Amino acid sequence: MSTHTHAAPGVRGLQDRLWAAVTDRDEHAAASVVFAALDDGTDAETVLLDVIAPVQARVGTEWAANRIGVAQEHAASAIAERVVAALAHHPAVRTTPRLGRVTVACVDQEWHVLPARLLAEVLTLRGWQVDFLGAQVPTPHLIGHLHDHGADVVALSSSIPTRLPTAHAAITACQAVGVPVLAGGAAFGPDGRHARRLGADAWEPDARSAARRIADGIPVPVPVPAAGRQQIDDLPHLGDQEYTLVVRSRPQLVREVLAQLEGRFPAAAAYTEQQREHTAQDIAHIVDHLGVALYMDDDELFTGFLEWTAGILEARRVPAVSLRPVLDVLGAELKDFPRSTRLLGQARTVLDAFLATAGHNLGASDDRTSLSALHPGS
């Protein structure tokens, strides 16, 4: 979930000191920055949302610009999570629960846990009884928890758009047992349009607004057995079966792109085995984004991803033009699928515009070459 874009001078100083600590991989220094802020009278919610969250966002930005590596990104993220945990046990922030119960969880296969953790801590500070289930919560386990412990609302977090079909299943399952769902995280779109499309009861862009929305009350949905509500009820376009067929064909599509890559992009002939493995993973990632764009019938989910990927590649001195043969082969393989053909055509247009504006780099590349490291979690 997002945070404020402008910070007061005192808060900005705390951000700078925390940034120095996490990039130096100094967990104790990072904790000291946070504890000193609390001791000086900065409230815990400000520390969480206006200091820790912006620093973590900066970590992602610096990784995308290739100014820090994947290992450094992982180390900084781990320190941020441990500092949040330490803050939660600081005597100055202990709050006795006096409100209802909220379950906070990430959808299955979603490992970006910090946004959900920040919301859980804010809700705890405001007096809610919070069950924080963490990252990658399988939907059956989430529903089992609701049966065992109950909840006034489930706050469901996802940062990765390819998890939207899984989020859809989780939303439907929670509502089937009569628990409303508040969705949050980058996966649901900056305006929450994907959350609404999937039938979530509410969406908010950040932890503060989510906490306010929960306090205002979210109407309890009329329970409808999950078996009685199908994906196609919310998303009628799934009737064309393109999403299902493309997802099922993912292994074959990846193999076909790899088989044709050398002929269409000669530099691929010199790839090491490791580079080929990375490339196969990244082609699969592209197919995954094509699949979720088909699932949601939202072109920008695919074209936006391709444009972002082109920028990531160029920042690593990898020619973004290497994306063209992937799109071309996928287009040939999926020529009988109208929505896929449209998406791939629009992606080629977006890529051509990017290359014309940025100028593609055909020079030296790093040791991972071509399509690789499309996100720090890969």
Side-chain angles (χ1 to χ4, degrees), residues 1 44 46 132 140 155 163 189-190 262 281 318 364 375:
M1 291 185 176
T46 295
F132 176 61
R163 306 300 179 242
E262 289 185 17
Q281 293 168 5
V318 175
H375 56 77

Side-chain angles (χ1 to χ4, degrees), residues 100-105 131 133 142-156 167-183 198-202 214 217-225 229:
R101 182 181 291 271
V102 180
T103 293
V104 179
D131 295 325
L133 305 188
L142 173 59
I143 301 307
H145 174 83
L146 296 178
H147 279 301
D148 291 340
H149 302 286
D152 295 298
V153 63
V154 168
L156 193 65
H168 192 188
I171 291 168
T172 302
C174 291
Q175 292 170 337
V177 296
V179 181
V181 177
L182 182 147
L198 298 180
D201 299 285
I214 291 171
I218 299 173
V220 176
V222 177
V224 176
R229 176 177 160 199

